[in-house]
Amino acid sequence: MQRDEGDTFWRVEPGPRIIRIVRTAAPYTSADEAGASYEALWQRVHALPFDRSRRAVLVDLRLGPQRSDPAFEEATREHRTRLFDGAGAGAVLVRTLSGKIQLVRHERQDQGYRTFDDEDEAVAFLEEALAGT
């Protein structure tokens, strides 16, 4: 399947087993823009023409600007788990320890994915989870 060049904020790279969603380095100008971006991304990902339960989703946030302000967190909260709906497994990949700490906190609330700062570990986790499906 061809790579989706996406938009200013996200690229979608569907693979044979893992759908990779990559955050670009482009910053959001507002919380509303972030919410709209996540909604558009969700629509693109859920329109992909295959059985999501047989694929894993890897959200790669390493290039994206770190944000933890309350308005941004509120605008993106519901979308954090929606990207993983129906997937066989989910993982988020972050660049920094502070990013990992923040996402692990979200992970405990959301319970739809695991957070990693090592790409090989994230991919191994997803492949192992898919092997059990």
Side-chain angles (χ1 to χ4, degrees):
M1 178 165 281
Q2 231 178 8
R3 177 174 149 171
D4 170 1
E5 289 302 322
D7 58 29
T8 303
F9 305 108
W10 300 98
R11 281 189 335 267
V12 178
E13 302 170 357
R17 302 275 293 159
I18 297 174
I19 302 163
R20 183 178 292 260
I21 301 170
V22 181
R23 176 68 169 91
T24 71
Y28 292 120
T29 59
S30 69
D32 288 340
E33 183 178 55
S37 169
Y38 272 87
E39 179 63 30
L41 173 63
W42 180 84
Q43 290 180 16
R44 284 183 14 232
V45 170
H46 284 266
L48 293 172
F50 45 71
D51 180 0
R52 291 173 48 79
S53 68
R54 297 164 116 9
R55 291 206 168 63
V57 173
L58 174 61
V59 177
D60 184 345
L61 299 176
R62 293 177 294 180
L63 295 177
Q66 286 188 291
R67 296 277 308 255
S68 61
D69 56 275
F72 174 78
E73 292 217 2
E74 182 61 28
T76 60
R77 181 177 40 84
E78 75 175 270
H79 299 288
R80 291 193 312 249
T81 56
R82 287 178 76 200
L83 290 174
F84 302 101
D85 285 349
V92 176
L93 188 56
V94 296
R95 175 182 66 239
T96 65
L97 179 58
S98 62
K100 186 172 183 181
I101 290 169
Q102 179 182 355
L103 268 287
V104 166
R105 179 174 49 89
H106 293 313
E107 175 188 319
R108 285 189 207 117
Q109 295 170 353
D110 301 341
Q111 300 181 358
Y113 53 86
R114 293 268 315 271
T115 304
F116 297 87
D117 58 3
D118 180 281
E119 184 171 0
D120 292 337
E121 288 178 15
V123 170
F125 166 77
L126 294 173
E127 290 290 353
E128 184 176 321
L130 289 174
T133 61

